[in-house]
């Protein structure tokens, strides 16, 4: 693992790569008490030439800095961060599996201040661990069935939904648990009456809009949506295709219900580093079971392949 300590008085210590180990922490450690924690998720891929690659790691570095800023943690130079991760991958090269498996990389930043009281931390630890991980879909795409959560919210205006703090993920977990108990695979989060995210993924809807145009749409970044790196990559790829329009905007849940009733809903999918792209087979909102015309995905599968080609096959910067 990689680790770098920061102290208010002395700044960042030299980052080190060390064997993975436990941390001795005092019971007053403020991460435990007040959730002073932020993290990232990225992957290392082994390409067709057996070389190691990462995908847009600068975006993870910058997002971790934004998360850190939200928690009054120190910032770092994103380029230095990427160099450190590359060095870790050189050391851990033998743990990077053959495709379609990948090495999942988890940069994490926590408070190391051992003191009660809600204050910006005086000491932090940035560490990066990793683990080989299999593909999200072991045998082909399996559409996900989701419940729209109309009581609990994942994020709210002025909150921390636009960054990756651990607290975002534990606070709504009871709603996720009850969706699992009711037989769903995940929840779709709303902000009021507009669609927000699909579990810990961004969501895309492909429909014929009210103006009769084919449109791929995703919720706009209004401060409550996590700016996913996969989301951004899909938007860039989709905008190259002129056979439909691509937009970011507010999507009222009632517009989705209406599009389904009027036979205009073509596809829905989720996206994120772990899944890459995953078709959504149905979304249940109150009494409405919303099933797109192509629950197995068509555009989503094409986008997945385009993205995977870039992640694993396209000539790019190679680390090892
Ligand atoms: N939304 C949430 C809440 C997430 O936790 C993630 C995963 O990081 C995403 C979306 C997808 O982001 P990315 O594509 O950068 O993995």
């Amino acid at each position: 693992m990689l680790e770098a300590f920061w102290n208010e008085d002395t700044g960042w210590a030299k980052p080190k790569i060390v064997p993975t180990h436990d941390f001795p922490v005092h019971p007053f450690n403020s991460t435990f008490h007040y959730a002073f924690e932020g993290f990232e998720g990225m992957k290392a891929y082994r390409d067709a030439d057996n070389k190691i690659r990462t995908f847009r790691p600068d975006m993870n570095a910058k997002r971790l800095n934004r998360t850190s800023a939200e928690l009054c943690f120190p910032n770092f130079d994103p380029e230095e961060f990427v160099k450190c991760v590359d060095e870790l991958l050189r050391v851990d090269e033998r743990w990077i599996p053959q495709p379609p498996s990948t090495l999942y990389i988890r940069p994490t930043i926590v408070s190391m201040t051992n003191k009660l009281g809600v204050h910006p931390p005086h000491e932090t630890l940035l560490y990066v661990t990793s683990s080989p991980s299999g593909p999200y879909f072991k045998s082909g795409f399996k559409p996900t069935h989701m419940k729209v959560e109309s009581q609990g919210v994942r994020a709210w205006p002025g909150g921390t939904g636009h960054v990756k703090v651990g607290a975002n993920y534990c606070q709504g977990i009871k709603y996720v648990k009850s969706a699992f108990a009711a037989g769903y695979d995940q929840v779709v989060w709303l902000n009021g009456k507009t669609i927000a995210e699909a579990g810990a993924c961004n969501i895309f809807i492909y429909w014929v809009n009210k103006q009769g145009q084919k449109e791929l749409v995703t919720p706009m970044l209004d401060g409550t949506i996590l700016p996913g790196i996969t989301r951004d990559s899909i938007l860039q790829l989709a905008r190259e295709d002129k056979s439909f329009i691509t937009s970011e905007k507010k999507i009222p849940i009632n517009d989705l219900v209406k599009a389904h009733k009027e036979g205009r809903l073509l596809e829905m999918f989720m996206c994120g580093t772990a899944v890459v792209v995953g078709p959504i087979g149905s979304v249940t909102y109150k009494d409405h079971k919303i099933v797109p015309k192509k629950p197995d995905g068509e555009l989503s599968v094409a986008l997945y392949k385009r993205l995977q080609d870039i992640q694993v096959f396209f000539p790019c910067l190679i680390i090892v």
Side-chain angles (χ1 to χ4, degrees):
M1 66 191 285
L2 178 103
E3 60 183 23
F5 285 91
W6 173 88
N7 176 298
E8 198 171 46
D9 301 322
T10 51
W12 284 104
K14 206 172 168 201
K16 284 187 291 190
I17 292 175
V18 294
T20 299
H21 61 92
D22 295 345
F23 302 117
V25 282
H26 191 274
F28 282 173
N29 178 286
S30 68
T31 306
F32 289 163
H33 294 271
Y34 314 115
F36 275 107
E37 191 264 1
F39 68 101
E40 268 305 319
M42 47 202 288
K43 282 176 173 174
Y45 306 83
R46 199 173 274 282
D47 71 12
D49 298 326
N50 217 16
K51 303 277 188 223
I52 307 305
R53 302 154 173 244
T54 49
F55 180 65
R56 307 184 75 189
D58 53 313
M59 300 273 284
N60 296 95
K62 288 177 196 150
R63 191 168 64 188
L64 188 57
N65 262 344
R66 295 199 299 275
T67 301
S68 292
E70 206 67 25
L71 296 167
C72 295
F73 284 0
N75 267 9
F76 49 78
D77 178 347
E79 279 182 28
E80 289 300 315
F81 172 85
V82 172
K83 279 191 215 157
C84 286
V85 171
D86 287 356
E87 192 51 41
L88 182 67
L89 292 176
R90 278 187 201 101
V91 173
D92 276 344
E93 204 231 312
R94 69 202 159 102
W95 290 105
I96 306 172
Q98 292 294 334
S101 295
T102 55
L103 187 79
Y104 185 79
I105 306 164
R106 172 49 62 91
T108 311
I109 188 159
V110 290
S111 164
M112 291 304 267
T113 296
N114 296 324
K115 197 172 168 198
L116 291 185
V118 185
H119 295 289
H122 306 298
E123 286 173 75
T124 60
L125 169 65
L126 169 64
Y127 64 91
V128 184
T129 45
S130 62
S131 168
S133 68
Y136 193 92
F137 296 111
K138 308 263 171 315
S139 46
F141 286 106
K142 189 175 156 284
T144 303
H145 297 279
M146 300 205 164
K147 179 198 165 198
V148 177
E149 176 51 50
S150 18
Q151 262 197 308
V153 284
R154 191 196 85 88
W156 44 88
T160 52
H162 59 300
V163 292
K164 277 182 81 77
V165 297
N168 287 348
Y169 298 82
C170 61
Q171 69 80 24
I173 197 70
K174 69 178 182 196
Y175 301 104
V176 177
K177 186 180 175 188
S178 68
F180 290 164
Y184 298 100
D185 301 315
Q186 243 323 330
V187 302
V188 171
W189 299 107
L190 295 181
N191 287 329
K193 293 281 181 201
T194 60
I195 296 170
E197 299 207 44
C201 284
N202 292 116
I203 188 166
F204 277 82
I205 291 162
Y206 185 45
W207 60 14
V208 177
N209 67 18
K210 289 177 195 161
Q211 291 74 39
Q213 301 156 304
K214 271 194 182 168
E215 180 182 36
L216 180 68
V217 58
T218 191
M220 61 191 265
L221 300 178
D222 62 356
T224 68
I225 308 290
L226 189 83
I229 294 155
T230 323
R231 174 190 182 278
D232 181 79
S233 309
I234 287 174
L235 284 171
Q236 288 192 39
L237 292 176
R239 283 186 177 126
E240 288 171 9
D241 191 330
K242 302 295 175 213
S243 65
F244 55 86
I245 55 170
T246 300
S247 2
E248 298 169 75
K249 57 188 181 195
K250 285 203 181 298
I251 312 169
I253 183 70
N254 287 335
D255 284 7
L256 187 69
V257 174
K258 197 157 181 267
H260 173 237
K261 279 190 187 153
E262 294 173 0
R264 292 187 282 109
L265 180 62
L266 306 175
E267 268 181 65
M268 297 183 284
F269 62 89
M270 56 183 180
C271 70
T273 297
V275 61
V276 187
V277 174
I280 300 177
S282 72
V283 159
T284 302
Y285 176 56
K286 297 181 177 164
D287 298 335
H288 309 283
K289 184 167 179 186
I290 303 167
V291 182
K293 283 194 169 164
K294 293 170 186 157
D296 295 327
E298 197 174 278
L299 178 63
S300 56
V301 173
L303 284 166
Y304 173 89
K305 288 192 176 136
R306 280 278 279 126
L307 208 48
Q308 208 202 20
D309 278 353
I310 297 167
Q311 287 169 335
V312 186
F313 301 114
F314 199 73
C316 71
L317 193 70
I318 282 160
I319 297 160
V320 179

